Amino acid sequence: MLSKIYSSGVLGIEGFEVAVECSAWDRLPKFDLVGLPDAAVKEAKGRVRAACENSGFRFPDLEIMINLAPANIKKEGSAFDLAITVALLQCDGAIPRSLDLSDKCFLGELSLSGELRSVGGILPMTVSAKSCGRREIFVPYENSGEAAVVDGITVYPVKSLRQLINHLKGIESITPMLFDPTAFDLTSHAGGVDFADVRGQLKAKRALEIAAAGGHNVLMIGPPGAGKSMLAKRLSTILPDMSFDEAVETTKVHSVTGILRSNLVTERPFRSPHHTVSPVGMVGGGANPKPGEISLAHNGVLFLDELPEFPKTVTEALRQPLEDGIVTVTRAAAKVTYPASFMLVCAMNPCKCGYFGDPTRQCRCAPGAITKYLERVSGPLLDRIDIEIELPAVTYNEISGKTAPGEPSAVIRERVNAARKFTDERLTRGGDKPGTLNARMSTEQLRKYCTPTEEGSALMRQAFESLGLSARGHDRVLRVARTIADLDGAEQINEDHIAEAIMYRSLDRKYWKK
């Protein structure tokens, strides 16, 4: 007796098809499970037996062999429970052997009572099932909304093993879950926070607006209480709305890590790991590789508060992902690539006590201690930060509300959206694909779109020589200037755009190049 059922697994953030083959013989009862299963998959034996018996199905007293193919890829998690059970019951005849299940995919964890529990990674597994030609997929009820995001495959929400078998036999049909795009608002933004809440700090707000328009990395330096964290937490409220493709890609990452709280991620992520995070926690990895914080921040913001407190092994690991927008984790068991296209926003004090250079408070740090503190931030990492801002302490008039409130996030976001639209139109006219952020322009695009006027070129040459910019630093100034020009609706970069962009690179000289 032989049956074959299809399921799906996850490798990295991509799904892959798994064929669940069941063979049974009329011999002494035995249950073998092969195909590189991990501990959770091996434990399916007990869950499947109890679920069958508690759902009213006889567990066959046969010698049973379950193979999860392809056998050379490790299978992880409990999502194979349902497929194993269906294969077993069809092999035994509880599900008619004549019933063709080759166009169906089964996913879900079984409880001992036969009810289905939700599992992680449903979205990439559903995408995989569709790409492999499956027309129907059966998933736990709680995961059905996530699976329904994938167009072109019928999603059946299953609550229990008994309900599924009755559906397959034609006794009682399960109503498919339909995707309703109107239920997802991709224009929603983080509630409860707004740029209007921030008093003063007009220069910092302007810099963050530029960063949002071009996707630039930011470093904020200032004394405690200046508003660094407050500004960073509001950055996501002025970022452009997510596209549907971005939402699906972001949802994949959150789904495989098991932190998905809705069927689709509709707001740009904001991740703020503590400075005790490990390198694996930041970039991903582990014995069974999982995405790290930089991948969870994909299409959003990664905020590192108190930057010098992070271990160098963590901050230096960010250098390659900041350049490539991806991170590849290689382990003995697997080699996986995760997306990691994020805006890096860092905040730090100018010294350990926080008041170096403050006109109202005296710094208590020794000169050597200040240098040691600043040296925790490496030059190569600073070279990958486009915009550096110094935040002064907030004045009494600003904090007491005697000054006019700042612009709300919605107003700033309109300007950011207009700048992004201007960028896309420029790229289209130049024969390039729209959607490329100024911060991630290729070298060819940089030469094509970032040629300043003669006055701007002269100022750029002067800044390059006096500030000691590296080649990367030179290109990043041009990228920021291009974004400033886009906010102004200007086709060519002029002297004013270059001057403002250079201003956002001046802290290197003040703090690190004495």
Side-chain angles (χ1 to χ4, degrees):
M1 295 178 286
L2 179 66
S3 64
K4 186 176 182 180
I5 300 298
Y6 291 100
S7 186
S8 189
V10 175
L11 184 62
I13 65 165
E14 300 300 330
F16 65 95
E17 186 169 72
V18 175
V20 181
E21 302 168 328
C22 177
S23 185
W25 302 272
D26 190 12
R27 304 173 185 166
L28 289 175
K30 188 180 180 183
F31 194 131
D32 286 325
L33 185 58
V34 298
L36 280 184
D38 71 351
V41 180
K42 291 178 182 178
E43 291 171 351
K45 302 175 186 179
R47 293 192 296 271
V48 168
R49 178 185 294 273
C52 286
E53 293 177 349
N54 290 324
S55 299
F57 301 105
R58 183 186 71 87
F59 191 84
D61 292 328
L62 303 169
E63 182 179 339
I64 300 165
M65 170 69 75
I66 300 287
N67 178 46
L68 306 179
N72 63 325
I73 301 178
K74 189 169 185 177
K75 318 302 183 307
E76 301 175 5
S78 55
F80 303 108
D81 287 8
L82 189 61
I84 292 172
T85 306
V86 172
L88 181 63
L89 292 178
Q90 187 175 44
C91 189
D92 189 47
I95 299 174
R97 298 191 185 98
S98 59
L99 188 62
D100 184 13
L101 302 179
S102 61
D103 64 341
K104 298 172 175 56
C105 179
F106 299 87
L107 298 169
E109 176 186 330
L110 283 171
S111 69
L112 300 187
S113 64
E115 296 180 349
L116 253 68
R117 292 193 174 116
S118 61
V119 294
I122 284 291
L123 181 57
M125 289 191 285
T126 304
V127 171
S128 171
K130 177 195 171 184
S131 65
C132 291
R134 310 303 152 213
R135 295 185 296 173
E136 299 177 0
I137 187 167
F138 296 83
V139 301
Y141 184 86
E142 291 81 3
N143 293 127
S144 57
E146 179 186 346
V149 170
V150 182
D151 190 27
I153 187 169
T154 304
V155 178
Y156 289 99
V158 183
K159 294 183 177 179
S160 67
L161 179 60
R162 167 60 68 179
Q163 181 192 31
L164 172 63
I165 304 305
N166 287 343
H167 172 86
L168 295 177
K169 288 182 174 181
I171 299 173
E172 182 181 357
S173 296
I174 301 174
T175 303
M177 173 65 71
L178 301 178
F179 175 64
D180 180 12
T182 62
F184 302 100
D185 182 11
L186 294 177
T187 64
S188 63
H189 295 270
V193 295
D194 195 283
F195 259 74
D197 302 332
V198 183
R199 300 285 180 172
Q201 305 298 6
L202 297 181
K203 179 181 174 182
K205 290 179 181 179
R206 166 67 176 173
L208 290 180
E209 179 180 336
I210 296 169
H216 302 286
N217 302 322
V218 181
L219 171 64
M220 294 183 285
I221 302 179
K228 302 185 294 293
S229 300
M230 192 176 186
L231 284 163
K233 291 174 182 177
R234 284 153 178 77
L235 177 58
S236 58
T237 66
I238 64 171
L239 292 175
D241 305 329
M242 294 184 77
S243 67
F244 184 75
D245 289 342
E246 285 179 324
V248 170
E249 192 175 36
T250 306
T251 302
K252 277 186 177 182
V253 180
H254 288 235
S255 178
V256 300
T257 53
I259 66 170
L260 190 64
R261 295 294 176 262
S262 60
N263 296 326
L264 190 69
V265 176
T266 58
E267 295 183 4
R268 294 192 180 275
F270 179 86
R271 303 293 299 181
S272 181
H274 192 261
H275 59 75
T276 56
V277 66
S278 67
V280 170
M282 181 64 80
V283 302
N288 299 319
K290 295 293 182 184
E293 290 290 338
I294 62 173
S295 296
L296 292 172
H298 180 60
N299 290 324
V301 176
L302 177 69
F303 177 47
L304 303 185
D305 200 3
E306 305 296 344
L307 177 63
E309 301 298 335
F310 283 81
K312 272 203 171 182
T313 52
V314 172
T315 55
E316 295 305 290
L318 299 176
R319 287 159 53 176
Q320 178 265 331
L322 284 172
E323 291 291 320
D324 301 339
I326 58 172
V327 59
T328 300
V329 178
T330 304
R331 296 292 183 269
K335 178 181 179 180
V336 295
T337 299
Y338 300 119
S341 180
F342 59 92
M343 282 181 63
L344 176 65
V345 179
C346 305
M348 60 178 287
N349 296 328
C351 65
K352 191 72 174 178
C353 76
Y355 296 104
F356 173 62
D358 192 293
T360 61
R361 299 282 296 271
Q362 184 177 359
C363 175
R364 303 188 303 271
C365 303
I370 297 174
T371 302
K372 185 177 180 181
Y373 179 79
L374 293 172
E375 285 178 348
R376 295 181 185 178
V377 182
S378 72
L381 180 62
L382 285 172
D383 214 27
R384 288 166 171 80
I385 292 176
D386 305 340
I387 297 175
E388 301 165 351
I389 324 163
E390 187 170 29
L391 280 69
V394 182
T395 65
Y396 174 77
N397 285 340
E398 290 170 337
I399 201 170
S400 63
K402 294 182 179 180
T403 57
E407 288 182 303
S409 294
V411 174
I412 302 174
R413 189 166 62 249
E414 287 181 6
R415 294 199 295 267
V416 170
N417 282 327
R420 292 270 183 116
K421 183 179 179 182
F422 187 87
T423 303
D424 288 343
E425 290 172 350
R426 173 168 43 76
L427 290 169
T428 302
R429 289 193 303 271
D432 290 310
K433 184 179 178 181
T436 301
L437 298 176
N438 288 338
R440 296 182 177 86
M441 282 191 293
S442 66
T443 303
E444 180 183 352
Q445 290 173 326
L446 187 72
R447 303 294 175 253
K448 185 190 297 186
Y449 302 116
C450 298
T451 302
T453 61
E454 289 186 12
E455 295 81 1
S457 294
L459 182 59
M460 190 72 233
R461 174 187 290 273
Q462 182 182 353
F464 183 82
E465 294 173 352
S466 61
L467 295 179
L469 294 177
S470 66
R472 182 186 288 114
H474 168 272
D475 290 350
R476 289 190 179 277
V477 169
L478 284 179
R479 288 185 173 97
V480 173
R482 179 66 266 173
T483 301
I484 297 170
D486 288 348
L487 282 166
D488 287 347
E491 287 292 342
Q492 192 169 18
I493 300 171
N494 62 36
E495 187 178 11
D496 291 339
H497 303 144
I498 293 288
E500 186 175 2
I502 292 171
M503 180 181 67
Y504 296 127
R505 297 288 300 188
S506 61
L507 295 189
D508 271 10
R509 189 173 183 86
K510 178 177 179 179
Y511 287 104
W512 285 276
K513 297 180 181 179
K514 292 188 177 294

